[in-house]
Amino acid sequence: MLKSDPRIISPPAFLTGMAVLFWGVATGNLLISLVLALLLEASRWVKTRWDFDENAHVKAFQLSLLLMAVWVALSWIEDDGRKGSLNVIKWLPLIFFPIEFAQRYGKLDRMNLNAFFYFSRRRMNLDRRAGKEVHPIQVNTGYPYTLGALAAAGGEEFSFYWVTLCVFVIAILFSVLRQRGLYWRSAIKVLPFVVALSWGMQWSMTTVYAWAKNYLNWGRFISQSSGHLVDYNSALSKPGEVKLNPK
């Protein structure tokens, strides 16, 4: 694995895997999370690497979009689409797993940021064809993926979620500071902000889930009420049951 740019940082060993396992425990998908965590962390010991280029990274992102579309479509079929947003949030670690896999098992531990933006990528290709030298911004999605796994677990009623989230966020903060070569005193100064951020993430995800569930229940109520109204109107229009005024 090539890692020539020191500005590009990735999570330390086991951090992402533990976050994925936490998501599995919180959402009841322990088996799936165990498989994902093993695949993610095994890349540190498996020496086999594929030559994933820019096009492969774009295809990984497109595969994630396809998985997202499939989840929304299945939700639409099962419950008139009202559960689509909930399922997308709940399955973020699985949906964006192809992107993380491409970086962990590729010869490069990073990808171009414009892999997520069609027009920016098209502009870069045009500049290359014109003979211009391009230097696309490169990133490693390990930390965003880890935070996404934590956020996906936030909507479920899980005991000690906030405490566990604080531990993970503090671990991420210290890891980033260490890789950036900053002092531990800097981390201590921002600990109150970390606690506030953890609480904010929990409150945001819990609020979104509660709002979505209320919306789903309200949608079912409206559908049932509309169905009863249709039945009532149909009953009135049956032939032979309408009494006419004898006058």
Side-chain angles (χ1 to χ4, degrees), residues 88-113:
V88 169
I89 297 175
K90 183 179 179 180
W91 292 98
L92 284 179
L94 182 60
I95 291 175
F96 292 104
F97 177 77
I99 300 175
E100 193 66 15
F101 180 88
Q103 294 170 89
R104 289 182 178 253
Y105 287 92
K107 293 183 178 180
L108 294 175
D109 67 335
R110 54 192 179 273
M111 60 188 298
N112 293 341
L113 183 61

Side-chain angles (χ1 to χ4, degrees), residues 25-243:
V25 173
T27 60
N29 300 303
L30 182 58
L31 181 59
I32 297 177
S33 67
L34 181 61
V35 174
L36 294 180
L38 289 176
L39 289 174
L40 292 172
E41 299 301 334
S43 63
R44 302 182 184 276
W45 298 280
V46 176
K47 302 302 181 182
T48 304
R49 291 291 182 268
W50 288 274
D51 189 12
F52 292 137
D53 56 5
E54 296 176 358
N55 293 329
H57 292 153
V58 173
K59 291 180 180 179
F61 174 60
Q62 292 174 346
L63 179 58
S64 296
L65 293 180
L66 178 62
L67 291 175
M68 183 182 299
V70 169
W71 250 261
V72 173
L74 291 176
S75 301
W76 186 278
I77 295 174
E78 292 178 358
D79 197 33
D80 298 330
R82 288 187 290 266
K83 291 176 59 178
S85 58
L86 283 178
N87 283 338
V88 169
I89 297 175
K90 183 179 179 180
W91 292 98
L92 284 179
L94 182 60
I95 291 175
F96 292 104
F97 177 77
I99 300 175
E100 193 66 15
F101 180 88
Q103 294 170 89
R104 289 182 178 253
Y105 287 92
K107 293 183 178 180
L108 294 175
D109 67 335
R110 54 192 179 273
M111 60 188 298
N112 293 341
L113 183 61
N114 59 20
F116 304 102
F117 306 99
Y118 171 78
F119 292 104
S120 177
R121 190 169 63 251
R122 185 171 180 270
R123 176 62 182 272
M124 182 186 68
N125 293 331
L126 292 176
D127 290 342
R128 284 177 173 174
R129 293 175 185 175
K132 298 180 180 179
E133 187 177 357
V134 296
H135 300 282
I137 300 175
Q138 294 185 321
V139 296
N140 181 284
T141 60
Y143 281 113
Y145 181 84
T146 303
L147 291 174
L150 297 176
E156 300 294 333
E157 295 181 358
F158 181 72
S159 300
F160 307 109
Y161 170 78
W162 183 73
V163 176
T164 309
L165 182 62
C166 284
V167 173
F168 273 107
V169 174
I170 291 174
I172 292 174
L173 173 65
F174 276 79
S175 176
V176 171
L177 292 177
R178 180 182 59 83
Q179 292 174 330
R180 292 296 185 185
L182 300 178
Y183 295 102
W184 295 99
R185 294 179 180 178
S186 302
I188 296 176
K189 292 179 181 179
V190 298
L191 278 180
F193 299 98
V194 172
V195 175
L197 176 62
S198 302
W199 180 85
M201 288 180 61
Q202 180 193 20
W203 179 84
S204 299
M205 296 305 301
T206 304
T207 302
V208 169
Y209 268 73
W211 176 84
K213 288 181 179 180
N214 291 334
Y215 173 73
L216 295 178
N217 295 332
W218 177 253
R220 294 190 186 99
F221 173 76
I222 295 297
S223 300
Q224 294 175 358
S225 300
S226 301
H228 294 324
L229 182 60
V230 171
D231 295 340
Y232 177 75
N233 292 334
S234 300
L236 288 179
S237 61
K238 289 182 180 180
E241 294 185 2
V242 179
K243 295 183 180 181

